Structure formats: structure tokens, C-alpha cells
Amino acid sequence: MNLKNLISTCIFISILFSFGTAQNVSHPNVLLIITDDQGYGDLGINGNPHIQTPVIDQFARESIRFNKFYVSPVCAPTRSSLMTGRFSLRTGVRDTYNGGATMAPEEITIAEMLKDIGYSTGIFGKWHLGDNYPSRPNDQGFDESVIHLSGGMGQVGDFTTWFQGDSSYFNPVLWHNGIQEKYDGYCTDIFAQQAIKFIENNKEKPFFCYLAFNAPHTPLQVPDEYYQKYKNIDPASGFENDERPFVKMTEQNKEDARKVYAMVENIDDNLAKIFKKLDELQIEKNTIAIFMTDNGPQQIRYIAGMRGRKGSVYRGGVRVPFYFRYPAAFEGDKDIETTTAHIDILPTLAEICGAEIPKDRIIDGKSLLPLINNRRVDWASRPLFFYWTRRYPELYNNISIQEGNMKLVGHTDYNADIQDFELFDIEKDPYEQTNLVTKEADVAKNLKTKLDKIYQELIHSGNILHPPVPVIGTKNENPVILNRNDADGERGIWSQEEIYGKWHVKILEGNYNIRFKFIKTVKGGGKMTLETGPVIHQKINITDTDLIEMHNVHFTETEGELVPFYSVAGKNILPFWVEIERIN
């Protein structure tokens, strides 16, 4: 260790043992803030002339800024990697719905890791890694949770807000420690208020607060006072002389951008309240505060000229802001240009907070502490793997590997020649406009070999081959409600009536009452059928209804597919949700 690094380390240790607060400074608080579908360009500090984000902008200026920070192209994979330090496929997460957004309960989360060393843990907002036991937040290390279900409020999986339609973000029924509870107000305000309450209740001991806003995810709903600030702007203006590439915006794109900017400003105002509370409690200096987003923007708008958006493996889909502030130990206002990613957060927090990283599994991430402390690291050979297609990764379709400055992208067939790929030098070509695959064919082939290896390794992960399932019949969750976000079967199950769907479950032996809820009233004169392997229960329904019940159904212990459907007038209709309650 050279003299400069030795001095830096000594200063860090000295701060930890001399900084005065009521808390144990060797275990700093952790406030991890993540927003949903907020792109790199949805901040004033990143060159957007229209959006007003003074609080986040100031936070970024005070922070260590990781300027080449990457996530997955969509939300559930990002969140599983964030929580575990592992590529999402290792955790069992392969999709955002279609039964692929449940993380294996054997995974060790940041919350579990920190809880083991005395932290209080809370999540407020979006989980999206499993809505049933044993994969809910409270099953995965969180003491306190106030969340919505599935991928978003107003989506089919979040059945307590789905029927609210255009007002699903207002006065919602949320899930407080697994129990439905009615709240008043706008969702972002509610999640921030609950986070502040958690921080106040745990100010005397170390805490991990995971504040996962669902905004600005669709549906784009925002209090009118915020929308009024943006209703007359032209989000496409101000870039006429900019040499960066921009996608032309339609009138609908512009209206969507206005709503998104309003939603983000509301987030900014709520973060002002949270940071103020940290200051009032005199714990701001001993709190690690992180701000990031989960992927690129869903709609077309300013994204600093990058190519692609949410769902894309191009940089516009996977490069996001990442700001890290810990005043008690590190100076802020610093830029780090080394490539980093969501998988690095768990090992970083483990090292700083004095927790132990799991030793019985592969941790793909690396601690960021050497970079923060200006120590030289050689991460150029670390590959980052990106993919996005529905259900499972499709070989060479919307898939990429990035190593150092070189990035190989596939939007082609499973047996395509190397010339059908794209190769970019993202240091020289940050907007991914110049394909070097012909000029640098050997580099491309080498990256493809590495891509093939990591793809095969991840797609054959144990949690992909044997995915996690809800366990029905335990005292931990009774009744269990199976929602459409977790339904497998046909691709793209959403709010359709005539579609084949099923849930993979484990049912403990016992007697159960079962309720089948439908989106619309179904006609009488049909038959409700429930298949669980070779055992089939059926009931004739004679009345028009949106709720059919079966009572005192006996199951032996079984693990497999649960297939419900209502047959009437030549149609097979999938229930909107299925509630299963063990009665003995």
C-alpha cells in the first residue's frame, strides 16, 4: 500500500471511531433510494433543461458520482441483482411477470445481511420480487414493509389498486407487513412519509431504509398541482443545435414526458423532506445515502443522446445515475469513471457496514470502496451481461456483453454469423452509432465466446431450472392470493379473459376454501374447474357472478401446476385472482 492510500485508510478508520453521534458509527445507517423507469436524462444535473430536480441535483453535487453505472434493462431483474449482488438469473428472476418475477427465498438480501448485524430494516414502495410466502419482503429480511404488489400500482398483479383505474396512485390499499391497509394521499407522498416514520423510530440504532418509489412508472398519474407546472412546455425543444442523436417525439411522447417530469419533481420534493429529517435528527453525516434508478425511460424523451430505452440492452436502457454520499467518511463532489453496476451495491455495503458477504454462492459484484478510496483496481476484464426478452433470454436477441470499453450486442438469430452482431467502443462512441464488428472481428468473436459461456452458466442456474414457488397452507400467509403477475402459461398474460394461465405452487395437506375472482361478470350455466396435477375439482355455476367459491376442498401435499378456468358458452376464462385459505 502506498503512502497516499495508507493515509486515506487511516483517516477513514479514524473517522469511524471518533465521529460523534448517538449511533454506532461503525454501522452507518443506509438509505437506498431507487425510482422506477426514471431514465438518466430525467434530472436537471444530466442536462435536461425542462425538469426541475433541485434536491437531487444538489445531492448529486455533494456525492460521489459513478458516471458509468449500469443496471438491467427492466425492473425485477435490476432489483434482484441490487438486493443480492448476483446476476438476476442466478436468483430465479427472469421476467417482470409471466411467473418470472419471484426471487428464490434462499437468496440472501441486503436486508438479511444487515439485519444479522443488528440493523433495523424497512422497505417502502416497490418490491417486485415475490408477492407470496416465502418471497415477500418480510420473508427476506425486512422488519417493516409498506408496499404495493407486483410490478406496479394499477397493474393486474396489484389487484387492490387495479380496479381504481385512472386514480390507482391515489388513496390506495397497500400491504403493511403482509396485511392490506388503506392509505390516504398520493403514493409517492405515502411511501416517503412511511420512510420518514421508520427513520424516526430507528434513529438511535443503525437502520437500512429501502425507499423504492414506483413513480414515474406507468400509469402516469400525478397531483394536478405538479402537472400544471409542465403542461405548457415542449419537451422536445432546446436541443436543436445539439450534435447528439435524438429520437423524434410525437405529441403523445411530449404529453407523457410532461407527466413524467411532474412525477419526478414530486419525488424531488419528497426527498427534500427526507434529507431534512436526517439533518434534524443529526444522523445525516452517519448515513450512507444512495440515489439510483432501475432502468432507462419507458417512453421516448430526452436521454442525453443515448440509444435505446427501457427494455433495451443499448446504453439508454441500462445506464442510470448513481450517487453515493456518506459525509462521515468520504468527501463528496467526486466523479468515478470506472464501469460499475447494481451487483456492486451489496458487497460495498457489506464492507463499509461490517457485514459478512455470503460465502456459499457466487457474488458477481465487487465492493466500490477501493474506487471511493482512490485505490487502483483492474476491472477492465470484468464482463457485464445484459439481456431482455419475455419469459426467458432468447439466444442472441436483445442480448449483450460489455468488457472494458468494448460491447457486443446481438439482435439476431440463434445461429447467426458474427457479422450479424454489433460491436461498439463505448468510450469513443458513447451513443453506439458505429458498428465495428467487421473492422474488429477478432474482438467480437472473443466477446461472443465469453457471452456464450456466461449465458449457458446463467440459464442453467438452479433457481431457473427449479424456480421458486409460493407455499400454500402455512401460518405465515393464510389465505394466499395468487395474482396474474405471477401466472404462467401463455405469453403476455394480463387482463384478458380467454387465456390459458396457471400458477406453480406447493400446497400443504389440508382442507381449503377457494375463491375465484373474475375481472368481469361471467355468465351462469358454466363449470368452474381446478386442476392440480391428476386431481381435478369442478363445480357447476348457475348464476351470473364475478366470484365463484369452492368450500372444503381437500389437498394432499403436492407441488406442481394449479390450473383454474371457467368454461361457459365455448369459452375458457382465467380468473383474475385465486384466493386459497386453509381451514384445517
Side-chain angles (χ1 to χ4, degrees):
M1 181 181 294
N2 62 38
L3 181 60
K4 181 178 181 181
N5 290 339
L6 179 61
I7 292 172
S8 176
T9 301
C10 290
I11 291 173
F12 174 62
I13 294 172
S14 175
I15 290 172
L16 288 183
F17 287 96
S18 65
F19 183 77
T21 73
Q23 297 182 322
N24 181 349
V25 295
S26 63
H27 294 323
N29 307 310
V30 179
L31 171 62
L32 175 52
I33 302 160
I34 183 170
T35 62
D36 198 0
D37 289 0
Q38 181 180 357
Y40 179 86
D42 295 330
L43 290 171
I45 196 168
N46 288 335
N48 190 322
H50 302 293
I51 197 166
Q52 300 299 312
T53 53
V55 175
I56 301 174
D57 293 349
Q58 181 59 32
F59 177 81
R61 283 188 284 269
E62 296 170 353
S63 297
I64 300 168
R65 298 173 291 273
F66 289 81
N67 294 327
K68 296 177 181 176
F69 188 86
Y70 294 90
V71 293
S72 301
V74 288
C75 40
T78 287
R79 291 160 201 274
S80 65
S81 291
L82 170 64
M83 282 289 106
T84 66
R86 288 154 55 85
F87 286 124
S88 64
L89 293 172
R90 297 195 199 278
T91 75
V93 174
R94 54 174 173 77
D95 200 346
T96 60
Y97 61 99
N98 268 142
T102 299
M103 186 169 70
E106 296 79 11
E107 292 297 318
I108 296 176
T109 67
I110 294 173
E112 290 171 300
M113 180 184 74
L114 294 180
K115 186 174 181 178
D116 282 347
I117 58 171
Y119 277 70
S120 297
T121 57
I123 175 175
F124 309 96
K126 177 172 177 173
W127 172 240
H128 201 190
L129 295 175
D131 290 334
N132 299 112
Y133 174 80
S135 293
R136 303 164 301 172
N138 295 100
D139 307 320
Q140 293 272 208
F142 287 97
D143 300 315
E144 182 76 7
S145 69
V146 178
I147 63 167
H148 62 78
L149 299 182
S150 72
M153 297 174 65
Q155 293 190 352
V156 291
D158 192 36
F159 51 85
T160 57
T161 63
W162 164 261
F163 292 104
Q164 289 181 243
D166 292 339
S167 62
S168 58
Y169 279 24
F170 297 87
N171 305 319
V173 173
L174 300 171
W175 295 76
H176 181 202
N177 295 335
I179 305 298
Q180 295 184 42
E181 189 170 317
K182 185 75 165 63
Y183 290 83
D184 295 326
Y186 180 61
C187 59
T188 301
D189 301 336
I190 293 168
F191 294 135
Q193 291 162 4
Q194 293 299 311
I196 290 173
K197 180 180 177 182
F198 172 80
I199 290 169
E200 288 177 324
N201 290 340
N202 292 278
K203 61 181 181 295
E204 299 296 335
K205 53 187 175 182
F207 61 77
F208 170 49
C209 180
Y210 180 39
L211 180 53
F213 291 116
N214 60 301
H217 192 289
T218 56
L220 302 181
Q221 301 172 11
V222 66
D224 187 62
E225 63 184 284
Y226 285 92
Y227 175 75
Q228 291 298 321
K229 299 179 181 182
Y230 293 93
K231 69 174 184 178
N232 294 320
I233 70 165
D234 179 3
S237 65
F239 311 110
E240 293 80 6
N241 298 320
D242 200 310
E243 296 182 356
R244 294 174 294 180
F246 287 93
V247 179
K248 186 176 181 180
M249 298 179 71
T250 66
E251 288 305 312
Q252 184 60 56
N253 296 150
K254 294 179 182 180
E255 181 60 13
D256 287 345
R258 296 180 187 110
K259 293 178 180 178
V260 166
Y261 295 167
M263 295 169 83
V264 172
E265 183 171 341
N266 172 261
I267 291 172
D268 198 73
D269 284 350
N270 276 290
L271 292 185
K273 298 174 185 177
I274 292 171
F275 295 149
K276 181 180 178 182
K277 179 58 63 175
L278 294 177
D279 189 59
E280 288 175 352
L281 297 174
Q282 298 183 6
I283 58 174
E284 180 259 347
K285 290 185 178 180
N286 194 43
T287 298
I288 297 169
I290 294 171
F291 176 87
M292 62 179 292
T293 74
D294 67 342
N295 46 246
Q298 181 175 353
Q299 306 84 8
I300 293 173
R301 56 183 180 269
Y302 170 78
I303 194 170
M306 290 186 293
R307 184 176 179 179
R309 56 187 193 277
K310 178 181 179 178
S312 170
V313 298
Y314 293 121
R315 296 184 85 211
V318 296
R319 183 192 175 207
V320 300
F322 184 82
Y323 308 131
F324 180 101
R325 188 181 74 180
Y326 181 15
F330 309 116
E331 291 186 6
D333 193 15
K334 174 181 177 180
D335 293 297
I336 291 179
E337 303 297 336
T338 303
T339 298
T340 52
H342 48 12
I343 52 177
D344 300 326
I345 296 174
L346 180 142
T348 302
L349 294 178
E351 185 170 7
I352 296 176
C353 298
E356 185 175 349
I357 295 177
K359 298 291 196 302
D360 61 344
R361 64 202 64 200
I362 295 173
I363 300 296
D364 297 294
K366 297 176 179 288
S367 172
L368 302 174
L369 194 56
L371 297 175
I372 294 171
N373 282 331
N374 299 314
R375 296 204 300 269
R376 295 186 56 144
V377 296
D378 182 14
W379 288 6
S381 61
R382 179 180 74 158
L384 292 180
F385 171 76
F386 306 99
Y387 78 92
W388 181 243
T389 46
R390 282 290 174 208
R391 287 185 71 85
Y392 292 93
E394 297 175 7
L395 195 56
Y396 307 143
N397 180 25
N398 197 33
I399 195 168
S400 74
I401 186 170
Q402 181 177 319
E403 187 176 75
N405 295 333
M406 303 307 293
K407 179 177 177 181
L408 184 74
V409 178
H411 285 100
T412 187
D413 300 333
Y414 75 95
N415 60 348
D417 184 78
I418 194 65
Q419 299 299 321
D420 295 324
F421 288 76
E422 295 174 293
L423 180 69
F424 302 106
D425 183 336
I426 57 175
E427 185 68 26
K428 297 177 181 178
D429 179 25
Y431 309 120
E432 297 171 299
Q433 300 293 305
T434 304
N435 185 4
L436 302 174
V437 73
T438 300
K439 184 178 179 181
E440 301 283 355
D442 289 342
V443 174
K445 290 177 182 178
N446 181 53
L447 284 175
K448 183 176 178 296
T449 298
K450 295 180 179 181
L451 173 63
D452 290 339
K453 180 180 179 181
I454 195 169
Y455 170 84
Q456 291 297 332
E457 177 186 347
L458 295 178
I459 205 64
H460 290 98
S461 298
N463 289 325
I464 292 295
L465 298 178
H466 306 286
V469 297
V471 180
I472 298 171
T474 75
K475 295 180 180 179
N476 299 287
E477 184 185 18
N478 190 38
V480 170
I481 303 177
L482 303 174
N483 66 59
R484 283 208 176 190
N485 193 85
D486 297 332
D488 200 357
E490 290 186 44
R491 291 175 183 262
I493 292 176
W494 201 246
S495 60
Q496 310 94 325
E497 288 189 282
E498 292 184 76
I499 193 167
Y500 172 72
K502 58 186 178 182
W503 285 267
H504 298 274
V505 299
K506 179 177 181 179
I507 306 176
L508 303 184
E509 183 169 7
N511 293 334
Y512 295 82
N513 290 337
I514 306 172
R515 304 168 73 216
F516 306 92
K517 171 70 174 177
F518 297 87
I519 294 178
K520 300 177 182 178
T521 298
V522 295
K523 295 291 184 181
K527 181 172 70 173
M528 187 69 225
T529 301
L530 178 64
E531 298 180 358
T532 50
V535 179
I536 301 176
H537 296 84
Q538 58 83 30
K539 179 181 180 180
I540 302 301
N541 171 60
I542 61 174
T543 61
D544 294 354
T545 182
D546 66 351
L547 187 69
I548 298 175
E549 300 186 29
M550 291 182 177
H551 295 284
N552 202 29
V553 176
H554 181 77
F555 291 115
T556 58
E557 184 165 326
T558 182
E559 182 170 345
E561 296 178 353
L562 185 149
V563 185
F565 57 93
Y566 181 68
S567 303
V568 65
K571 300 178 180 179
N572 288 331
I573 301 173
L574 178 68
F576 184 51
W577 50 252
V578 180
E579 179 186 273
I580 308 175
E581 182 178 15
R582 185 173 182 176
I583 53 177
N584 59 47

